């Protein structure tokens, strides 16, 4: 039987259509890769809900000037809603006219707000006399029904006063937080002041129903610990052994023997069955993501330091599960740093002047040492002078400084270290020479002015020196590293000013003033990328709008003109300077922006994203390419402008893309001092974004798309089968093609 080329092609097409070859379906990662620790904080007041026995109202104070009011299902441990009130709640009252309405009152400021109990909508608010209402008393349980005897808690029968239920008290028991005898019976215990355990009745026993840990509330600092696969550690040890080999032949022989041993172990594990080995190579378990998480760098431990002096380790793969926790017994946490490159030791600073060294032994923390600083006073800030060099500059609230060196072998006598500090009144340059702190320059503001945002140039990997334009010319970036940007508000002239400063000399390089009536009551922020700055503020003129301004820095606005590779390179210490040139553009954003951050990846090749924490509690991001200072209106763009990579006409309004809202419909409460951070992974396309504050929220973003990771549902088997079919078809078609070429050369039909 003769098989023609046409028949083979038809067979191939049929197989292709039937197997569908590759079905790479990318599923929605919402609520799969992101997670949130929704905290309530220590419970200050408990008010039972008369409409529902399963619900209580909890008042907690996240800050000194605000309160958090939460509706809580005491039977299941579920948070029903949370609402931040901009004052401290003294009492909650029930409206006399409508018992489905409550009034929250602050007696010191005479502020009050009226809410609907069903959906917690704000109905009314004011300052002065609150509406006629009846004060709801804070919950207190009857002491004659709950008795503690030794290490047991007894719930007594009303009639016989005999123990109807008994419960062995957990370690660290503090008090009975809530007790309800009516159906359903609910018992809540407070353990170690910040843990809450809920119990319910199962027959004749009290069984645990839920638990909440409120210790990791109000995060002030963080550190990231990578989790490595044991196989990766084994390969790393093999590479070190090869590097230390005496000769190239010994290194080669070591690699051959180790790989041969691995191959033999693979055969032994699969009972020397080639089919099992092939199946194992093809298998991809979509449920077990441990291997892929380790390989792609998603498996990390997020170490957080709280204001109360507690550090905790959160598993970033398992929905932020608390894997360990340690109370440092300090006044107030300030900062923490890795002490070594291997991430085996942490150093933590407290406000009362103590610093602790913490060892991570097998992934668990152990306090190694605790000491006090020489200078007295409350610590205001701590600056690490060099990564993992154990040198820190501590600033106290009285203005004094102390240089702390934990490693006496580190010596910087031959070099100077430049430090830039700032507060709301000024920016100060300092230099450390021979372990002495010297003041070099300062930029103070007027009494009517205030520094509201400050940021230094982000340290990134340099991938290109310039931007390629549509006509193939190059616009060179201004990459001088010692730069900082800050915003100054002026109440007298009602303006906000952007300044770019040299952190070595204190020289102001750029000043840009905005006179569109900025609203000083709303937040402002600034971020400094590779060669660009983005800042946000809210203005009232001509209409109330949220503004986003981008400033791009170039060596010259003339294409192909470069100074940094000549003798005119910028060096302020020798007087050699070449001034930068810049372009600025303003955009309008539809929501109030509270905080800004820049996405970070391993090699900084992926398009940068501007991550924004909004005033409404959501987090979104927009690609930096959208905020282009050189963009022009479409009617002003030339043909060469349109040829530029990712060129787009200027659109003054940047809308919110629903696909870029990474918090989805979560309710985040982050507090006034929250931190918006970005953590690189082993995948260049993917960055982990976290917001740390009262709550902790983390997710993954891919600003340029997931170009280096296939979906877990990628059907590798069908792909290999398709390749095999192509090889077989090619093998059979090759003689026919050769035959045809030979006949065509001899003019044979």
């Amino acid at each position: 039987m003769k098989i023609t080329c046409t028949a083979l092609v038809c067979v191939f097409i049929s197989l292709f259509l039937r197997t569908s070859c590759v079905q790479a379906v990318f599923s929605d990662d919402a609520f799969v890769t992101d997670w949130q620790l929704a905290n309530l904080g220590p419970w200050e007041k408990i008010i039972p809900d008369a409409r529902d026995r399963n619900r209580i109202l909890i008042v907690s104070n996240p800050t000194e000037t605000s309160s958090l009011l939460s509706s809580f299902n005491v039977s299941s441990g579920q948070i029903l809603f949370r609402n931040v009130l901009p004052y401290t709640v003294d009492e909650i009252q029930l409206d006399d006219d409508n018992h489905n309405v409550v009034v929250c009152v602050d007696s010191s400021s005479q502020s009050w707000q009226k809410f609907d109990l069903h959906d917690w909508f704000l109905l009314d608010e004011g300052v002065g006399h609150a509406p006629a209402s009846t004060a709801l008393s804070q919950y207190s349980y009857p002491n004659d029904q709950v008795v503690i005897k030794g290490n047991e808690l007894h719930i007594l029968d009303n009639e016989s006063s005999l123990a109807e239920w008994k419960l062995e008290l957990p370690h660290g028991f503090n008090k009975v937080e809530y007790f309800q005898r009516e159906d359903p019976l609910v018992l809540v215990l407070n353990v170690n002041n910040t843990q809450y355990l809920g119990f319910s009745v199962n027959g004749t026993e009290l069984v645990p129903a839920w638990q909440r840990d409120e210790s990791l509330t109000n995060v002030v600092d963080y550190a990231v610990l990578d989790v490595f696969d044991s196989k990766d550690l084994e390969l790393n040890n093999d590479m070190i052994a090869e590097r230390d080999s005496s000769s190239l032949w010994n290194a080669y022989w070591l690699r051959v023997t180790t790989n041969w041993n691995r191959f033999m172990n693979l055969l032994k594990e699969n009972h020397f069955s080639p089919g099992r080995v092939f199946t194992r190579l093809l298998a991809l378990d979509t449920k077990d993501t441990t291997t892929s998480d380790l390989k792609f760098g998603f498996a990390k431990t997020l170490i957080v330091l709280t204001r109360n002096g507690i550090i905790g380790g959160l598993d970033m793969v398992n929905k932020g599960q608390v894997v360990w926790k340690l109370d440092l017994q300090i006044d107030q946490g300030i900062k923490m740093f890795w002490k070594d490159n291997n991430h085996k030791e942490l150093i933590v600073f407290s406000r009362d002047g103590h610093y602790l060294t913490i060892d991570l032994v097998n992934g668990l923390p152990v306090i190694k040492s605790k000491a006090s600083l020489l200078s007295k006073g409350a610590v205001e800030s701590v600056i690490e002078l060099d990564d993992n060099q154990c040198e820190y500059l501590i600033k106290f609230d009285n203005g004094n400084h102390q240089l702390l060196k934990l490693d006496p072998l580190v010596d910087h006598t031959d070099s100077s270290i430049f430090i830039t500090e700032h507060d709301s009144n000024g920016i100060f340059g300092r230099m450390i020479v021979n372990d002495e702190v010297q003041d070099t320059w300062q930029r103070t503001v007027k009494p009517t002015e205030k520094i509201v945002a400050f940021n230094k140039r982000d340290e990134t990997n340099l991938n290109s020196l310039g931007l390629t334009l549509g006509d193939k010319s190059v616009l060179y970036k201004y990459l001088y590293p010692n730069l900082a940007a800050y915003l100054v508000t002026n109440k007298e002239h009602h303006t906000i000013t952007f300044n770019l400063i040299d952190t070595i000399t204190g020289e102001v390089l750029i000043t840009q003033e905005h006179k569109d009536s900025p609203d000083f009551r709303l937040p402002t922020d600034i971020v400094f990328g590779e060669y660009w700055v983005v800042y946000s503020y809210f203005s009232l003129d001509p209409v109330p709008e949220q503004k986003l301004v981008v400033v791009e820095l170039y060596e010259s606005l003339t294409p192909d003109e470069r100074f940094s590779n000549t003798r005119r390179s910028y060096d302020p210490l020798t007087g050699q300077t070449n001034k930068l040139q810049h372009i600025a553009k303003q955009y309008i954003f539809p929501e109030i922006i509270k905080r800004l951050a820049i996405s970070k990846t391993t090699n900084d090749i992926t398009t940068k994203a501007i991550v924004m924490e909004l005033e409404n509690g959501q987090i979104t991001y927009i690609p930096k390419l959208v905020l282009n200072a050189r963009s022009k209106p479409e009617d002003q763009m030339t043909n060469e402008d349109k040829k530029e990579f990712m060129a787009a006409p200027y659109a003054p309004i940047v809308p919110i893309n629903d696909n870029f809202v990474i918090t989805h419909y979560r309710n985040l409460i982050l507090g006034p001092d929250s931190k918006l951070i970005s953590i690189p992974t082993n995948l260049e396309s993917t960055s982990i974004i976290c917001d740390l504050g009262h709550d902790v929220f983390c997710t993954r973003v891919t600003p340029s798309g997931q170009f280096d990771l296939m979906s877990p549902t990628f059907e590798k088997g069908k792909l290999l089968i398709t390749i095999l079919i192509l090889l077989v078809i090619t093998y059979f078609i090759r003689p026919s093609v050769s035959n045809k070429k030979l006949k065509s050369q001899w003019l044979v039909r």
Side-chain angles (χ1 to χ4, degrees):
M1 180 179 177
K2 185 177 181 181
I3 301 177
T4 63
C5 294
T6 304
L8 288 173
V9 171
C10 291
V11 171
F12 167 71
I13 293 175
S14 176
L15 288 172
F16 182 87
L17 294 176
R18 291 188 63 179
T19 59
S20 301
C21 280
V22 180
Q23 297 176 352
V25 180
F26 293 91
S27 59
D28 187 8
D29 287 338
F31 302 99
V32 177
T33 60
D34 58 345
W35 50 270
Q36 174 192 5
L37 296 184
N39 295 318
L40 299 178
W43 299 6
E44 301 291 338
K45 297 180 181 179
I46 300 176
I47 294 92
D49 191 335
R51 301 175 298 109
D52 188 348
R53 292 178 179 175
N54 290 319
R55 297 176 62 180
I56 59 175
L57 293 178
I58 300 173
V59 179
S60 53
N61 294 324
T63 66
E64 296 179 354
T65 58
S66 65
S67 293
L68 178 64
L69 187 59
S70 309
S71 179
F72 187 75
N73 189 316
V74 75
S75 297
S76 63
Q78 180 185 4
I79 299 175
L80 303 178
F81 66 78
R82 299 180 299 165
N83 192 15
V84 177
L85 306 181
Y87 51 83
T88 57
V89 175
D90 291 331
E91 56 180 307
I92 298 179
Q93 303 174 356
L94 189 65
D95 192 283
D96 289 344
D97 297 330
N98 187 350
H99 287 184
N100 290 321
V101 173
V102 295
V103 182
C104 299
V105 181
D106 177 21
S107 59
S108 61
S109 64
Q110 295 296 311
S111 300
W112 58 270
Q113 289 179 325
K114 183 189 293 187
F115 297 94
D116 187 290
L117 266 175
H118 293 282
D119 45 34
W120 208 249
F121 284 154
L122 177 63
L123 302 177
D124 195 7
E125 61 182 341
V127 177
H129 295 291
S133 55
T134 303
L136 294 175
S137 59
Q138 185 178 348
Y139 166 79
S140 61
Y141 68 90
N143 294 325
D144 57 344
Q145 294 185 13
V146 179
V147 179
I148 296 177
K149 295 183 178 180
N151 196 35
E152 284 188 338
L153 182 143
H154 295 184
I155 299 178
L156 307 181
D157 182 71
N158 291 332
E159 298 179 356
S160 63
S161 298
L162 298 177
E164 192 172 359
W165 292 282
K166 295 182 180 181
L167 176 67
E168 184 178 352
L169 293 176
H171 178 71
F173 168 76
N174 184 36
K175 64 178 180 178
V176 176
E177 194 73 48
Y178 184 82
F179 172 68
Q180 173 185 280
R181 189 181 185 88
E182 294 81 3
D183 188 30
L185 188 146
V186 177
L187 175 69
V188 180
L189 302 183
N190 181 292
V191 179
N192 297 324
N193 294 321
T194 56
Q195 289 180 297
Y196 299 88
L197 306 180
F199 295 85
S200 61
V201 174
N202 182 11
T204 59
E205 294 183 350
L206 287 171
V207 295
W210 53 267
Q211 63 177 353
R212 289 194 59 83
D213 188 352
E214 302 292 346
S215 59
L216 300 181
T217 305
N218 295 327
V219 175
V220 296
D221 203 8
Y222 75 98
V224 179
L225 176 64
D226 291 317
V227 179
F228 296 101
D229 191 354
S230 58
K231 295 181 180 179
D232 293 337
L233 296 176
E234 181 182 349
L235 290 174
N236 185 51
N237 294 333
D238 291 343
M239 294 177 66
I240 294 175
E242 292 178 8
R243 183 192 61 189
D244 297 338
S245 298
S246 57
S247 64
L248 181 63
W249 168 252
N250 290 337
Y252 176 76
W253 180 250
L254 178 62
R255 176 170 294 190
V256 170
T257 53
T258 53
N259 288 337
W260 175 256
N261 292 333
R262 289 194 184 96
F263 178 69
M264 293 303 298
N265 291 333
L266 178 65
L267 291 178
K268 290 179 181 178
E269 291 174 1
N270 294 276
H271 305 287
F272 296 94
S273 172
R276 290 185 177 181
V277 173
F278 186 72
T279 303
R280 180 173 176 179
L281 294 176
L282 292 180
L284 183 61
D285 189 358
T286 58
K287 296 181 181 180
D288 184 12
T289 59
T290 304
T291 303
S292 61
D293 288 333
L294 289 169
K295 182 178 180 181
F296 299 139
F298 299 147
K300 300 177 185 292
T301 300
L302 179 64
I303 304 174
V304 295
L305 171 67
T306 69
R307 189 176 302 278
N308 295 329
I310 298 175
I311 61 171
L314 309 179
D315 189 342
M316 301 189 71
V317 174
N318 295 322
K319 302 292 183 180
Q321 179 182 358
V322 181
V323 292
W324 54 261
K325 186 177 62 173
L326 179 63
D327 190 350
L328 302 180
Q329 300 294 327
I330 56 178
D331 174 52
Q332 182 178 327
I334 296 289
K335 291 286 291 183
M336 67 178 174
F337 305 94
W338 286 115
K339 193 178 175 183
D340 60 332
N341 292 320
N342 297 323
H343 292 181
K344 295 291 182 62
E345 289 185 345
L346 277 169
I347 180 169
V348 180
F349 292 89
S350 67
R351 185 167 178 79
D352 58 0
H354 289 92
Y355 62 95
L356 299 85
T357 302
I358 301 171
D359 276 354
L360 292 177
V361 181
N362 298 324
L364 298 178
V366 177
I367 298 178
K368 181 180 179 181
S369 63
K370 183 177 182 179
S372 299
L373 300 171
L374 298 178
S375 301
K376 301 299 182 182
V379 177
E380 183 177 306
S381 64
V382 182
I383 299 176
E384 187 179 31
L385 300 184
D386 199 358
D387 292 343
N388 308 128
Q389 293 296 324
C390 301
E391 282 189 295
Y392 309 94
L393 180 64
I394 293 94
K395 180 182 178 182
F396 298 89
D397 57 359
N398 56 13
N400 294 332
H401 289 80
Q402 178 183 337
L403 181 64
L404 177 65
K405 295 181 66 174
L406 299 181
D407 188 354
L409 299 178
V410 177
D411 188 12
H412 294 296
T413 55
D414 297 333
S415 61
S416 300
I417 300 176
F418 294 91
I419 302 295
T420 304
E421 294 181 336
H422 75 281
D423 55 27
S424 60
N425 299 318
I427 302 176
F428 310 93
R430 312 192 193 280
M431 181 173 60
I432 299 177
V433 181
N434 297 329
D435 295 339
E436 293 184 0
V437 181
Q438 302 176 4
D439 297 337
T440 56
W441 56 267
Q442 64 178 6
R443 290 280 179 180
T444 56
V445 297
K446 300 177 182 178
T448 58
E449 294 179 334
K450 181 181 180 181
I451 297 177
V452 293
F454 176 90
N455 216 326
K456 293 183 180 180
R457 182 180 180 270
D458 195 23
E459 296 182 1
T460 59
N461 296 309
L462 182 60
N463 295 307
S464 65
L465 297 176
L467 302 178
T468 304
L469 306 181
D471 58 358
K472 307 303 181 183
S473 60
V474 177
L475 207 59
Y476 287 97
K477 307 172 185 176
Y478 193 79
L479 301 174
Y480 176 63
N482 303 311
L483 294 176
Y486 62 98
L487 298 176
V488 179
T489 58
N490 189 313
K491 291 184 179 180
E492 181 181 1
H493 299 98
H494 214 68
T495 60
I496 189 168
T497 305
F498 161 76
N499 292 319
L500 184 74
I501 194 171
D502 184 345
T503 58
I504 302 297
T505 64
E507 179 185 4
V508 177
L509 305 177
I510 297 176
T511 296
Q512 185 170 280
E513 189 178 48
H514 299 278
K515 300 180 180 180
D516 47 1
S517 299
D519 191 343
F520 302 148
R521 298 170 300 175
L522 296 177
T524 59
D525 203 7
I526 190 169
V527 289
F528 200 154
E530 182 185 22
Y531 67 100
W532 44 264
V533 180
V534 174
Y535 59 92
S536 64
Y537 70 97
F538 194 89
S539 66
L540 300 175
D541 245 355
V543 294
E545 293 173 331
Q546 175 68 51
K547 301 292 180 58
L548 269 173
V549 183
V550 56
V551 181
E552 295 180 356
L553 314 177
Y554 299 97
E555 294 192 18
S556 173
L557 296 180
T558 303
D560 294 332
E561 187 175 24
R562 184 185 179 192
F563 302 107
S564 58
N565 62 340
T566 66
R567 295 180 180 179
R568 296 172 57 191
S569 296
Y570 192 85
D571 187 359
L573 297 179
T574 60
Q576 298 178 356
T577 61
N578 61 284
K579 299 299 182 181
L580 61 89
Q581 298 185 32
H582 71 283
I583 306 177
K585 193 77 70 176
Q586 191 175 82
Y587 293 85
I588 299 173
F589 195 73
E591 290 286 345
I592 298 176
I593 300 172
K594 182 180 177 182
R595 192 161 282 105
L596 299 173
I598 304 174
S599 64
K600 295 181 180 180
T601 54
T602 306
N603 299 307
D604 294 310
I605 298 174
T606 302
T607 300
K608 293 294 184 181
I610 309 299
V611 187
M612 298 176 288
E613 177 190 323
L614 306 181
E615 188 74 6
N616 60 13
Q618 297 295 318
I619 301 176
T620 185
Y621 72 92
I622 54 178
K624 167 57 183 67
L625 294 172
V626 175
L627 304 177
N628 186 358
R630 297 185 303 106
S631 61
K632 305 175 183 178
E634 189 171 7
D635 57 351
Q636 298 180 14
M637 294 181 67
T638 64
N639 292 331
E640 299 299 332
D641 293 334
K642 295 177 181 180
K643 291 179 182 178
E644 186 177 338
F645 175 71
M646 296 295 290
Y650 172 66
I653 300 177
V654 180
I656 294 181
N657 190 328
D658 292 340
N659 295 326
F660 292 167
V661 178
I662 58 180
T663 47
H664 312 293
Y665 59 81
R666 293 182 184 273
N667 177 28
L668 299 185
I669 297 177
L670 299 167
D673 301 320
S674 60
K675 295 179 178 293
L676 187 58
I677 63 172
S678 177
I679 304 171
T681 65
N682 294 346
L683 295 177
E684 176 59 27
S685 67
T686 308
S687 176
I688 299 176
I689 302 296
C690 293
D691 209 329
L692 315 176
H694 186 271
D695 289 355
V696 178
F697 169 79
C698 288
T699 188
R700 303 173 192 170
V701 297
T702 54
S704 298
Q706 218 168 32
F707 57 81
D708 53 0
L709 177 65
M710 292 186 295
S711 169
T713 58
F714 187 85
E715 300 184 14
K716 186 167 61 175
K718 290 186 177 180
L719 175 62
L720 294 178
I721 292 174
T722 303
I723 295 174
L724 182 61
I725 292 174
L726 286 173
L727 293 175
V728 172
I729 291 175
T730 304
Y731 176 79
F732 282 103
I733 290 180
R734 184 177 179 181
S736 176
V737 173
S738 301
N739 226 357
K740 187 175 181 180
K741 287 182 179 180
L742 181 62
K743 289 182 179 179
S744 63
Q745 291 178 356
W746 288 94
L747 301 177
V748 176
R749 294 184 179 180

